[in-house]
Amino acid sequence: MRGVEHDQVGCSSIHEYLTTGDEELDKVLGGGIRRGTLIVILGHPGAGKTTFLAKVTHANMTTKRLRTLYVSMAESRIKFHAFTKMLGLDFERFEKEGLFKFLEVPSLTSELIDILTSSLVAEVSKFKPDILVIDSITPVLKVFGKHPEMREFLHSGIYKLTNILGVSVFLIADLPYGAEAVDLGGIEFVADGVIVLKTEIKNGLITRWMEVRKMRGAPITIAEIPFTIVKGQGIKAFVTPLLSEIPLYRVDETVSFGCKILDERVGRVPRGAQITIIYPPGMNTPKTILAWLAKFITINKLKTMVISYIQPGKSVAYHIKKSAKELGVYQEELDRLLSDLYDFNPAAFSLPELVSRERSVILEKKPALLIMHGLREVMDIQGLKEVNRYQFSCASIYRKYGIIAVRLIRADYPREYVPAVEFSDVVIDAKPIGAEEPSKPKLSFRYIFWRTFKGTPYIIDEEDLIKCLKS
């Protein structure tokens, strides 16, 4: 790669990192992607390789003003801009500002090798990028894989770019379905990092995950990271936080149950608490529980998000408001606080995709209170063991950000095991009474409140709970 000149302006020190555009993924990689390194992005067709690097380059042009040269052998400039706009990434703005340049390479033939190498050398010398993306090297390897000039460029040329000039180089390569590796001409051995993006069809649903097979200098502990592609955001990875990242509860960061007796007998609710509410199968969520949620929201002024897996989120919000009005605890402020309403069909997504999508909206909005409705149906469709694993991971994330999470679950407890109880801070068990008690003219509920690992349960009948909520 003779003839390349590159000044030292913008060159990185070995301690500087590129961001992936995803804070949690940056942490997994030890702070991000070290600048001035060679990274191979390998993946199945449609797995999100271009999406991943579009987000990486866009994030670094946005936050660090780094210049990016994007060499495409797969699509035209027009298609690239149209595709990235759908992801909510505006590359045309950076193109106008002189931070981004798209180099479109025509169909490759053996006669074009000199033109290809010389044009790349010329563009790097002229544009002086901080980041170089080649999308993809698969056709290059097919046509020129054994050509000495191309091998020199891919090895000594890229070595000079990364180690001498400090350019961060990303090479995209295709991985055939069912294959675990592909011949890259030895590039994977000299690369500083190798990230593999995979897709799998399971039960007719798409599952996406990434494998960080290699990242020099990063203490990688997670082998597979589920992710999803979100319109307007690009790739969103699902990373479970370390337990050491979860802050301890603080006495001055608690909220009221909305009922004086419960505050005294059970204790106030800490920020980030996980609350599981269990009620019998075949029944709707008890009206008193919905009214309690309304009081809990308004008395503490909690910005609330609802995620339902069995009906529209706005339907759940409607019943919360309706129950509050019927039991005399409704306040107009509830309409403002109960406004982030979502619904996800658990039969339409694989579990990693479902969790990644809901986590994306939760971390974007960061509500003070999260209400999850219909988790029993998620367990029935996706499998109890897998759902429990992800729920535990999600609970860790909610605790980390101080989000109080309420899970509404149908179950015949304690005959039926409810995994969420194991990692909940507060459990509310609604037991129907009335049929076997002559003093009860109609079906009612008796509520058992308890704090996990603390004290004895507190039992309160429905009438007393309503009186307390009204006081």
Side-chain angles (χ1 to χ4, degrees), residues 278-294:
I278 307 169
Y279 54 99
M283 291 187 176
N284 293 323
T285 309
K287 185 184 299 183
T288 308
I289 285 294
L290 296 176
W292 168 73
L293 284 170

Side-chain angles (χ1 to χ4, degrees), residues 151-440:
R151 292 184 68 86
E152 180 185 355
F153 172 75
L154 291 175
H155 288 272
S156 62
I158 289 177
Y159 175 86
K160 184 174 182 180
L161 281 171
T162 58
N163 290 275
I164 300 177
L165 302 179
V167 179
S168 302
V169 179
F170 293 89
L171 303 179
I172 294 178
D174 294 321
L175 179 68
Y177 288 116
E180 286 294 321
V182 65
D183 183 11
L184 298 178
I187 296 173
E188 65 273 30
F189 299 112
V190 298
D192 299 286
V194 177
I195 298 176
V196 183
L197 305 185
K198 291 185 174 183
T199 59
E200 181 184 25
I201 307 298
K202 189 175 181 181
N203 298 325
L205 302 172
I206 297 177
T207 299
R208 292 183 173 93
W209 73 95
M210 66 177 68
E211 296 178 3
V212 184
R213 291 188 177 176
K214 179 182 180 182
M215 192 62 64
R216 286 199 180 110
I220 304 299
T221 59
I222 303 176
E224 294 182 351
I225 305 171
F227 72 90
T228 186
I229 299 176
V230 181
K231 187 176 181 179
Q233 298 183 52
I235 280 182
K236 296 292 292 183
F238 179 79
V239 181
T240 303
L242 299 174
L243 294 180
S244 59
E245 296 178 351
I246 302 171
L248 296 174
Y249 294 137
R250 298 178 183 175
V251 177
D252 59 343
E253 292 185 354
T254 61
V255 296
S256 171
F257 259 110
C259 168
K260 185 177 180 181
I261 295 175
L262 294 178
D263 285 343
E264 293 173 350
R265 300 294 183 87
V266 184
R268 289 169 62 88
V269 181
R271 296 278 182 180
Q274 305 301 295
I275 302 174
T276 294
I277 301 176
I278 307 169
Y279 54 99
M283 291 187 176
N284 293 323
T285 309
K287 185 184 299 183
T288 308
I289 285 294
L290 296 176
W292 168 73
L293 284 170
K295 180 70 177 290
F296 186 59
I297 292 168
T298 53
I299 197 171
N300 295 299
K301 295 180 171 48
L302 300 175
K303 183 67 175 176
T304 302
M305 174 183 290
V306 171
I307 293 181
S308 177
Y309 304 100
I310 54 176
Q311 58 185 261
K314 62 183 179 181
S315 177
V316 178
Y318 167 79
H319 286 291
I320 290 175
K321 296 173 186 177
K322 183 172 182 287
S323 298
K325 290 176 180 178
E326 291 180 1
L327 298 184
V329 297
Y330 173 78
Q331 295 183 27
E332 289 185 359
E333 193 175 16
L334 183 62
D335 295 328
R336 177 181 65 82
L337 294 170
L338 189 59
S339 58
D340 290 330
L341 312 174
Y342 295 88
D343 38 81
F344 296 100
N345 184 348
F349 304 100
S350 65
L351 187 56
E353 187 84 4
L354 176 67
V355 174
S356 295
R357 284 175 179 267
E358 68 177 42
R359 175 181 175 271
S360 177
V361 298
I362 292 167
L363 294 187
E364 178 188 356
K365 299 288 186 177
K366 286 192 174 66
L369 175 65
L370 170 65
I371 299 172
M372 290 171 281
H373 173 254
L375 280 170
R376 174 58 183 263
E377 285 68 20
V378 181
M379 296 175 188
D380 290 343
I381 293 171
Q382 299 284 359
L384 179 63
K385 184 177 179 180
E386 283 300 304
V387 171
N388 183 40
R389 173 190 172 194
Y390 277 99
Q391 280 294 309
F392 180 81
S393 297
C394 289
S396 300
I397 293 171
Y398 305 151
R399 283 194 175 99
K400 176 181 176 180
Y401 290 99
I403 299 172
I404 299 173
V406 174
R407 295 172 177 81
L408 299 169
I409 302 176
R410 291 190 184 96
D412 185 14
Y413 187 77
R415 292 188 185 92
E416 186 178 359
Y417 178 57
V418 179
V421 170
E422 304 296 338
F423 54 80
S424 293
D425 304 285
V426 178
V427 179
I428 305 172
D429 188 9
K431 297 293 187 187
I433 58 176
E436 71 283 1
E437 296 188 21
S439 61
K440 303 289 182 182

Side-chain angles (χ1 to χ4, degrees), residues 51 54-55 58 81 84-91 232-234:
T51 303
K55 184 165 185 176
H58 191 277
H81 283 304
T84 52
K85 276 184 179 178
M86 290 192 335
L87 297 173
L89 307 176
D90 185 4
F91 277 83
Q233 298 183 52

